[in-house]
């Protein structure tokens, strides 16, 4: 049976709300990958300690595990669009501070690590609420296409982010990469704010945050499929983070510079 245009992969883009949100997701993920490679490279320039360089990756990832559950609960209790815009504003401020400190050579290993942790907090706030918004923007029959497009945006930026970061690193240095991240984060926030999204109506009787988190854990425990997905994701990301964490030092050992490091 042939697919109708409404059944095509691009069908979710017919809704302006999803278009705006997808572009914001694309812009926001560009900043994530650009920050990741640039912060790790900067730390490798500031210190030769493997521990310090590895902690950059840990600082960006740890908040996702610690705050992800709370952020998901807040996505159900608060205005989702406003919450997502605030998360993007948080990331923009962190990027701007990084740009200012890097541009004045005032960035120390400790300061960089702290700002990477704060950037990770912004990402932890952003991810669950974005996922919660998508089903509100597309019809149920288009949800699979919408999720595929979101995955495409992540994988596309996973490639483009390091390439763009490498070009800017070679051209103007790390401060300019962080400044570009701030601009892209602001752009993502504007797109979110302008998106014609129907306001999320929180439940009339709002449960307490801890109760909402307990309900989420209880649901995951009683769903074999969800448990399997979470377990596989944990195993995959644990190995992926371990591989990427010390990559800057490996690149530095073979004589790579800011331009040749990112394609690695």
């Amino acid at each position: 049976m042939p697919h109708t245009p409404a059944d095509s992969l691009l069908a979710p883009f017919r809704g302006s709300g999803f278009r705006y949100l997808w572009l914001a997701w694309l812009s926001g993920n560009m900043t994530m990958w650009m920050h990741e490679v640039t912060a790790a490279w900067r730390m490798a320039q500031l210190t030769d300690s493997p521990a310090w360089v590895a902690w950059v990756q840990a600082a960006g990832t740890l908040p996702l595990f610690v705050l992800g559950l709370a952020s998901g609960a807040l996505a159900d209790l608060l205005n989702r669009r406003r919450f997502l815009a605030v998360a993007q504003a948080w990331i923009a401020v962190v990027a701007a501070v990084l740009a200012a400190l890097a541009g004045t050579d005032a960035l120390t290993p400790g300061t960089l690590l702290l700002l990477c942790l704060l950037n990770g907090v912004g990402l932890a706030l952003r991810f669950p609420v974005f996922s919660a918004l998508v089903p509100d923007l597309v019809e149920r029959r288009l949800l699979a296409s919408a999720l595929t497009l979101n995955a495409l945006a992540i994988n596309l930026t996973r490639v483009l982010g390091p390439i763009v970061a490498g070009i800017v690193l070679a051209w103007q240095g790390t401060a300019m990469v962080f400044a570009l991240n701030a601009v892209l984060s602001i752009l993502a926030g504007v797109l979110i704010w302008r998106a014609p999204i129907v306001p999320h109506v929180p439940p009339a009787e709002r449960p307490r945050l801890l109760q909402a988190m307990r309900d989420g854990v209880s649901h995951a425990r009683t769903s074999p499929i969800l448990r399997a997905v979470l377990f596989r994701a944990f195993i995959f990301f644990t190995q992926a983070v371990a591989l990427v964490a010390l990559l800057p030092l490996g690149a530095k050992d073979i004589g790579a510079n800011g331009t040749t490091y990112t394609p690695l």
Side-chain angles (χ1 to χ4, degrees):
M1 179 179 178
H3 288 276
T4 64
D7 294 326
S8 70
L9 176 63
L10 302 181
F13 284 138
R14 291 171 176 254
S16 57
F18 181 80
R19 281 202 309 272
Y20 274 91
L21 197 66
W22 190 85
L23 290 172
W25 185 238
L26 190 74
S27 179
N29 279 299
M30 279 291 291
T31 68
M32 179 177 67
W33 298 116
M34 290 170 64
H35 167 87
E36 186 174 283
V37 297
T38 305
W41 181 250
R42 183 71 175 196
M43 184 64 85
Q45 291 179 313
L46 293 173
T47 177
D48 291 325
S49 169
W52 276 104
V53 177
W55 270 109
V56 169
Q57 191 70 26
T61 307
L62 188 62
L64 293 173
F65 288 98
V66 176
L67 301 177
L69 187 61
S71 178
L74 287 173
D76 289 333
L77 300 177
L78 303 176
N79 183 297
R80 289 172 178 171
R81 177 166 60 175
R82 187 175 302 168
F83 187 22
L84 188 54
V86 168
Q88 281 300 148
W90 176 290
I91 294 171
V93 170
V94 173
V97 173
L98 278 167
L101 294 178
T104 57
D105 290 325
L107 204 57
T108 65
T111 304
L112 176 57
L113 193 62
L114 175 61
L115 289 169
C116 286
L117 182 66
L118 293 176
N119 184 76
V121 170
L123 294 177
L125 296 176
R126 187 187 73 181
F127 275 117
V129 67
F130 177 86
S131 300
L133 268 174
V134 174
D136 293 338
L137 299 175
V138 297
E139 299 175 37
R140 185 176 180 84
R141 63 188 176 85
L142 299 179
L143 187 57
S145 296
L147 295 176
T148 301
L149 289 169
N150 291 340
L152 177 63
I154 293 177
N155 290 319
L156 182 63
T157 55
R158 193 193 304 268
V159 175
L160 293 180
I163 292 175
V164 172
I167 293 172
V168 179
L169 273 172
W171 174 46
Q172 288 289 335
T174 56
M176 184 59 71
V177 180
F178 291 134
L180 179 58
N181 277 350
V183 172
L184 289 173
S185 294
I186 292 172
L187 173 62
V190 171
L191 287 168
I192 292 164
W193 198 254
R194 291 178 60 87
I197 301 172
V198 177
H200 168 65
V201 180
E205 296 182 5
R206 297 188 183 186
R208 295 181 181 273
L209 178 60
L210 291 179
Q211 181 59 47
M213 293 169 61
R214 282 194 291 268
D215 291 343
V217 172
S218 177
H219 175 69
R221 290 177 59 185
T222 57
S223 172
I225 295 177
L226 187 54
R227 287 204 311 270
V229 170
L230 291 173
F231 177 74
R232 290 172 184 172
F234 177 80
I235 295 298
F236 173 80
F237 283 108
T238 300
Q239 297 180 61
V241 168
L243 175 65
V244 175
L246 296 178
L247 186 59
L249 287 179
K252 193 175 178 182
D253 287 342
I254 63 174
N257 54 30
T259 307
T260 56
Y261 154 64
T262 52
L264 295 176

